[in-house]
Amino acid sequence: MNDRDNLLTIVRRFHNSQTEHPFVAGVTEIQSSGACLNDDDRVAVVEAALDMRIAAGILAHRFENEFARKIGLRKARLTNSGSSANLLAVTALTAPEFEDARLRPGDEVITAAAGFPTTVNPILQNGLKPVFVDIDSATYNTTPEAVAAAIGPRTRAVVLAHTLGNPFPVAEISALCAEHGMFLIEDNCDAVGSTYQLRATGTFGDLATVSFYPAHHLTTGEGGCVLTNNLTTARVVKSLRDWGRDCWCEPGESNKCGKRFNQQLGGLPYGYDHKYIYSHIGYNLKTTDIQAALGLSQLARLDDFCARRRHNWRRLREGLDGIDHLRLPEPTSHSDPSWFGFALTVLPDAPFGRIDIVNFLEGRKIATRGLFAGNLLHHPAYSNIECRISGSLAASDYVADNTFWVGVYPGITDEMTDYMIASVREYVSGYQRSRVRLVATSPEDKR
């Protein structure tokens, strides 16, 4: 064994020597999300570091190819976050390559009011006008009917996330977009591995985005991805991600096209170095090979991760079935979600509020989260934005006040899930017992 192999063996041994503390109910925190890392992951990161792969290179390119193949699309472009992926996806559709179809300032983009800010922010950052629609209270996604009702003369695109991994009716909304000549971007950050009508989410739209933050289905630490089947779109995304340059050579490569000093673009002189010609107003949103090494290691276990998420969600759903005062989540018809979380909504007749049950669960070391931003329009940052609201946002308002979710990520064991079920049931049944006592001692009974 050489020094390198010896070192990697020590790294693997070090990882496996770390003590895993047993779960103790009420003491061990049950996180809502988190990365599941093994010895292969640690070795992959260290090996990339030994090679000093501190920028995007061969591993990033390999991960792009393997992840695109896994999802079922032709091209993937790695980024430094899922939020950057959303920015690139929307910005790409403003590019001159799309000619008359390109998005222009003032064009409208339909999106959900209940969601994550960086699904919506790129619409505003590109001078476009968001049109907010409400959600269905059972699936936490919007509907084709709501999208259709929101279409106006300047509506040019739809940008929607698959909420908590539960697919929105993406086939129907994709067909609606095609009928009206609109682009569709799928924010697939919470839903890698989900299917709708037996087809992977992320494959219906013009572009899809993914996050590799530790909370998500697989992780590179920080990171994200834009995916598409359209080669022109993929090239625009790559340019925007890589400073806006026209050249498609990777850093460190030169003259792959054979025309580095043999063309004239814009107002530049003939023969200007193509590596420094810029065709888009872009950014630097690349990732690194160290992150890609972790992503490749994680990708080998993606199917297992998704299966565990489904298992944990089903166990919660069956364990809480029939409970009073709480609405349990429902998968969208014709879908098989790879769940991000398990949503619970306090019903109007409940004798307690969301804050009450959340405080109880948090006190038992069960982490909870709200449904992202609730209704985004109630946040200070969005109080004066230029937008249009289509119809009522009553369901979005309701989930802002009454919905929370708990974790189903693969690090949660059956023992933890059973403790969550028992805790929720104990809290709700406590109110049921109090209600029985109140009825039994009412003045009418005493008479």
Side-chain angles (χ1 to χ4, degrees):
M1 247 187 219
N2 57 33
D3 288 346
R4 180 192 183 92
D5 290 340
N6 281 332
L7 180 56
L8 294 177
T9 298
I10 292 169
V11 168
R12 193 179 298 276
R13 187 184 306 134
F14 169 78
H15 180 96
N16 292 326
S17 71
Q18 303 303 294
T19 302
E20 287 192 16
H21 299 289
F23 172 69
V24 179
V27 176
T28 307
E29 182 177 7
I30 304 175
Q31 299 177 336
S32 59
S33 60
C36 294
L37 304 170
N38 68 7
D39 55 341
D40 289 336
D41 297 327
R42 194 181 293 264
V43 168
V45 170
V46 172
E47 191 168 22
L50 288 175
D51 292 335
M52 297 299 287
R53 295 192 176 279
I54 58 175
I58 188 171
L59 294 180
H61 186 62
R62 179 180 158 200
F63 184 33
E64 286 179 333
N65 289 339
E66 292 192 16
F67 188 66
R69 190 178 305 116
K70 182 68 175 176
I71 298 301
L73 292 170
R74 296 178 70 182
K75 293 293 180 179
R77 298 295 183 224
L78 287 180
T79 70
N80 59 356
S81 72
S83 298
S84 292
N86 283 338
L87 176 61
L88 290 169
V90 175
T91 305
L93 297 179
T94 70
E97 283 86 343
F98 293 101
E99 300 177 342
D100 291 343
R102 66 188 288 196
L103 301 182
R104 301 174 187 275
D107 284 345
E108 292 184 342
V109 180
I110 296 171
T111 192
F116 198 74
T118 56
T119 304
V120 176
N121 291 351
I123 300 168
L124 299 167
Q125 289 159 340
N126 278 283
L128 305 167
K129 185 176 180 178
V131 179
F132 290 103
V133 294
D134 208 1
I135 58 171
D136 172 69
S137 57
T139 66
Y140 303 101
N141 285 304
T142 195
T143 65
E145 293 77 17
V147 172
I151 298 172
R154 290 205 66 178
T155 310
R156 304 293 307 285
V158 175
V159 179
L160 292 171
H162 299 287
T163 306
L164 291 178
N166 195 18
F168 62 83
V170 62
E172 293 84 350
I173 289 176
S174 176
L176 195 61
C177 288
E179 179 186 347
H180 291 272
M182 302 186 300
F183 293 109
L184 173 62
I185 296 175
E186 290 179 73
D187 182 333
N188 203 41
C189 291
D190 290 350
V192 171
S194 296
T195 62
Y196 185 76
Q197 295 181 356
L198 303 179
R199 178 175 164 185
T201 56
T203 65
F204 291 81
D206 297 280
L207 301 104
T209 60
V210 171
S211 172
F212 299 130
Y213 188 71
H216 290 281
H217 288 62
L218 60 86
T219 187
T220 61
E222 301 284 353
C225 194
V226 183
L227 299 106
T228 183
N229 261 337
N230 187 288
L231 298 182
T232 298
T233 304
R235 184 173 181 186
V236 171
V237 169
K238 177 177 169 62
S239 173
L240 289 166
R241 182 197 64 183
D242 299 2
W243 305 284
R245 64 184 189 147
D246 195 76
C247 178
W248 47 265
C249 289
E250 298 295 336
E253 294 180 346
S254 296
N255 208 26
K256 287 283 187 178
C257 64
K259 300 187 292 183
R260 180 178 175 188
F261 302 111
N262 298 309
Q263 55 188 322
Q264 189 277 322
L265 294 173
L268 295 167
Y270 178 84
Y272 196 86
D273 189 348
H274 190 223
K275 287 176 69 70
Y276 294 95
I277 294 176
Y278 302 92
S279 52
H280 301 96
I281 298 173
Y283 314 92
N284 178 4
L285 301 176
K286 298 190 300 302
T287 187
T288 70
D289 264 12
I290 292 176
Q291 292 167 288
L294 176 56
L296 284 165
S297 179
Q298 288 262 298
L299 185 57
R301 306 200 303 284
L302 178 59
D303 290 343
D304 292 337
F305 289 157
C306 293
R308 187 68 200 183
R309 287 175 175 274
R310 290 182 171 100
H311 170 83
N312 287 342
W313 189 92
R314 284 194 300 269
R315 195 175 185 92
L316 279 168
R317 187 64 176 75
E318 291 166 4
L320 293 173
D321 191 44
I323 196 168
D324 292 324
H325 308 309
L326 292 173
R327 178 188 296 124
L328 303 183
E330 297 289 347
T332 303
S333 296
H334 312 298
S335 76
D336 183 14
S338 176
W339 295 96
F340 184 71
F342 188 91
L344 292 158
T345 296
V346 179
L347 293 172
D349 66 349
F352 54 85
R354 176 179 60 87
I355 296 298
D356 302 316
I357 188 170
V358 161
N359 283 336
F360 177 81
L361 296 175
E362 293 279 349
R364 291 197 163 201
K365 300 295 185 179
I366 299 170
T368 67
R369 295 291 185 270
L371 192 66
F372 306 120
N375 185 341
L376 198 65
L377 290 169
H378 294 324
H379 291 256
Y382 303 88
S383 58
N384 293 309
I385 63 169
E386 184 177 353
C387 67
R388 180 163 64 85
I389 298 172
S390 176
S392 166
L393 298 181
S396 299
D397 288 335
Y398 193 85
V399 300
D401 292 335
N402 298 286
T403 299
F404 65 97
W405 59 273
V406 296
V408 297
Y409 82 104
I412 293 178
T413 65
D414 286 353
E415 187 179 10
M416 294 175 180
T417 302
D418 292 343
Y419 175 66
M420 288 193 282
I421 293 167
S423 296
V424 172
R425 283 199 168 276
E426 180 181 335
Y427 183 82
V428 173
S429 65
Y431 273 93
Q432 292 298 97
R433 288 194 298 270
S434 297
R435 191 171 175 182
V436 168
R437 286 196 297 270
L438 286 171
V439 170
T441 58
S442 67
E444 288 82 2
D445 288 337
K446 290 179 180 178
R447 286 198 293 269

